[in-house]
Amino acid sequence: MSGKHARFPHALILAMPLVFAAAHATAQDSSCTRYIELTARMSDRPYRALQTITMGSQKMQSEAIHVDGTLYTRQGDAKTGKWMATPVPDLKASIELARKTTSKCAVSGTEMIDGVTTQVWISYATTPFEPKPVQWKTWIGTGDGRIYRQASEGFDQRYVYSNVTAPPASEIVQPRKKK
């Protein structure tokens, strides 16, 4: 695996869910209208996203918490890693970009994730790092419309919605100011 597309995972789409940027836009694919509507609805829900990226034999862990318009992210070990807090960007432009870069969306069946029945969506997306469309699988709850998992080659992201709170202030590091 090249690993290039893993830097802009499809559903960081709002742990940035819809925040991948594309250099190679395609025409809007009407088969993706419902899929994009479902993934875009996450912006108003608190959630925790646990992400694993595998490149060769190396695994990288990260997590994100979205609460009250703030996205907290942490790389690496949960015991030593600090959280970074950033405001969630306006998603209108990201949704429009997803409409241009996402194609061939279809439901491929249902699966259970942690006791929740989900529809498994297959879609393809391009990014500046991977102009060839990359296949993504997204598990969306049939009853609540929430994303429970997204995966692609070398990338796996799982979402949790219960007991989600912001990290303690003592664990949040302030970003460095640019000079």
Side-chain angles (χ1 to χ4, degrees), residues 85-139:
T86 57
V88 175
D90 177 16
L91 296 175
K92 290 177 186 176
S94 297
I95 292 168
E96 189 56 39
L97 187 58
R99 287 184 177 128
K100 293 176 183 176
T101 59
T102 307
S103 63
K104 300 178 187 173
C105 301
V107 175
S108 69
T110 59
E111 290 183 23
M112 296 291 285
I113 293 183
D114 298 327
V116 176
T117 302
T118 64
Q119 282 188 321
V120 182
W121 285 79
I122 302 293
S123 64
Y124 292 81
T126 59
T127 73
F129 302 103
E130 192 66 57
K132 177 183 172 203
V134 174
Q135 183 185 52
W136 287 91
K137 286 178 76 174
T138 306
W139 290 257

Side-chain angles (χ1 to χ4, degrees), residues 70-73 81-86 166-175:
T70 301
L71 183 66
Y72 302 91
T73 58
K82 291 280 189 175
W83 292 95
M84 295 283 293
T86 57
S170 62
E171 294 182 21
I172 300 170
V173 64
Q174 298 302 315

Side-chain angles (χ1 to χ4, degrees), residues 23-46:
H24 303 280
T26 58
Q28 183 172 346
D29 182 340
S30 62
S31 72
C32 296
T33 301
R34 180 68 180 142
Y35 170 74
I36 291 170
E37 286 173 359
L38 288 168
T39 58
R41 293 187 344 189
M42 289 184 63
S43 64
D44 63 348
R45 302 173 182 168

